Amino acid sequence: MPTVPSSFVPRVDIQGEGEVPFQAPPVEGVRNALPEQQIRFGQATTQAGNVAFRIGAQLQDSIDESGAKEADINNYRGAQQVVNSYLDTNGKDSELQYRAAVDSLSTIANNTIDSLPNKTQKEMASASISRSTLALQGRMDQHRREQAKVYSIEMNAASSAIKEDAAIESFSTMAVPNGAFQVDRNLALIAIRNVGIAKGYPIDSPQMQALEIGVDTRITYGVVQRMIAKNDFQQGIDLVNKEVKAGRIDSKVSNLLMNSLVSNQMLQSSEEASSSIINEGMAKAPSLFGNYARITAGGIREADPNSKR
């Protein structure tokens, strides 16, 4: 069994150049961390402030955008009422009310923009309101052009009708180029051509020719009616034939007039012949192609030497 020395003296060997084999780790000295913490806190606060600013800016942008859109909607609603009212106008009224309607659109737009709380909303709304106002005014301009045509058609048609009546009243003969009848007739034709131009008809188009024939037809009808009233049947027949040959009268109207003239002429000549036989012993019918007479005395029939065949 091992034995323990009676005397034991602990010994520590020195190794190397005096280095001890066991050594405690170095300890760092206490330092002040407060400045660094303050810096980090400041940075965090700045970042939080930036985030809040961005959120606030985005919120303000959203508010400004919404405000501008609301202004545009309100402007459109008010302007639409003006436009609808103007679109209900016709003819001359459309021209008379156009300027007032345009001024109303401008007033509504300006008042709407001025009511906004800040410059940003005003700038945003101005562009949108300008576009919508121009679009609405475009509708008004189109209506104005259309109604200007309507007004022109109405006035020229009325002018043509007046000149037609004047030509009927002034008719004595068609042979005088510068006579009152021809002047009135030409003025009626000019007015009716303006109607055709307003409708977009070319000068030599069938539509324009139909308008001109309508004028001459109405004039001829009126003149013939005056001739019938005066028992000038043959003159009326001659006039209708002349207009038919010139192609200046509607065929239905010419047939109607001719039937009326011939019927009235035959009736009148029958009455004339009956009366002359009773009163003079001979048949005279001045209204039937001149003055025809037949001698009945003694059963002898002779032609009137003054008759026109």
Side-chain angles (χ1 to χ4, degrees):
M1 95 184 279
T3 60
V4 178
S6 57
S7 62
F8 176 73
V9 178
R11 183 171 58 88
V12 178
D13 294 334
I14 303 301
Q15 300 178 354
E17 297 180 358
E19 293 182 359
V20 294
F22 303 100
Q23 185 176 5
V27 179
E28 183 178 358
V30 177
R31 60 190 179 85
N32 187 1
L34 182 59
E36 183 178 350
Q37 293 175 350
Q38 291 176 337
I39 292 174
R40 292 178 179 176
F41 179 75
Q43 291 175 344
T45 302
T46 300
Q47 291 176 355
N50 290 338
V51 171
F53 177 79
R54 288 195 298 272
I55 294 175
Q58 292 174 355
L59 180 60
Q60 185 60 47
D61 289 344
S62 177
I63 293 173
D64 288 339
E65 183 179 359
S66 298
K69 289 181 178 179
E70 181 182 12
D72 186 30
I73 293 171
N74 291 337
N75 174 79
Y76 187 85
R77 287 173 177 171
Q80 185 67 53
Q81 294 179 359
V82 174
V83 173
N84 288 341
S85 178
Y86 178 74
L87 295 181
D88 288 336
T89 61
N90 296 298
K92 181 179 180 180
D93 289 340
S94 296
E95 182 62 27
L96 294 177
Q97 298 184 30
Y98 174 77
R99 179 48 54 191
V102 171
D103 292 342
S104 295
L105 290 183
S106 298
T107 299
I108 292 172
N110 291 332
N111 290 343
T112 302
I113 294 172
D114 291 341
S115 67
L116 295 172
N118 58 57
K119 181 180 179 181
T120 301
Q121 290 189 25
K122 291 180 179 180
E123 291 177 349
M124 294 174 66
S126 294
S128 179
I129 288 176
S130 295
R131 288 192 298 269
S132 61
T133 300
L134 287 175
L136 291 171
Q137 185 172 340
R139 292 176 59 192
M140 291 171 51
D141 290 341
Q142 178 64 25
H143 182 72
R144 181 191 185 192
R145 288 191 292 270
E146 293 173 354
Q147 293 306 311
K149 291 181 180 179
V150 172
Y151 184 37
S152 175
I153 291 171
E154 290 176 348
M155 293 302 100
N156 279 289
S159 176
S160 180
I162 291 173
K163 296 306 177 183
E164 289 171 14
D165 291 340
I168 293 170
E169 293 298 322
S170 61
F171 179 85
S172 59
T173 176
M174 300 180 69
V176 183
N178 296 324
F181 169 78
Q182 290 292 4
V183 171
D184 291 330
R185 173 180 175 270
N186 289 337
L187 290 175
L189 289 172
I190 290 172
I192 208 65
R193 287 179 189 132
N194 289 334
V195 170
I197 292 171
K199 291 183 175 181
Y201 299 161
I203 293 297
D204 296 330
S205 66
Q207 296 92 332
M208 187 70 80
Q209 292 176 1
L211 291 177
E212 294 173 353
I213 290 174
V215 168
D216 281 322
T217 296
R218 288 187 290 272
I219 291 175
T220 301
Y221 183 87
V223 170
V224 169
Q225 293 302 314
R226 293 187 66 193
M227 291 177 177
I228 291 175
K230 296 178 180 180
N231 294 333
D232 294 334
F233 305 118
Q234 188 57 47
Q235 188 179 6
I237 290 172
D238 292 341
L239 176 60
V240 172
N241 285 332
K242 183 176 183 178
E243 292 299 285
V244 169
K245 185 177 180 179
R248 292 194 296 254
I249 187 171
D250 181 84
S251 59
K252 293 181 179 179
V253 176
S254 66
N255 291 334
L256 177 66
L257 289 176
M258 190 64 74
N259 290 335
S260 177
L261 285 164
V262 171
S263 297
N264 279 280
Q265 185 182 52
M266 296 300 295
L267 177 62
Q268 181 67 18
S269 64
S270 175
E271 293 175 353
E272 291 172 347
S274 297
S275 177
S276 65
I277 291 173
I278 295 172
N279 297 325
E280 303 177 29
M282 65 181 66
K284 293 183 179 181
S287 62
L288 182 60
F289 302 102
N291 183 17
Y292 287 87
R294 293 190 177 185
I295 307 302
T296 60
I300 301 174
R301 297 181 179 180
E302 296 179 353
D304 183 352
N306 297 320
S307 67
K308 299 178 181 178
R309 296 183 180 272

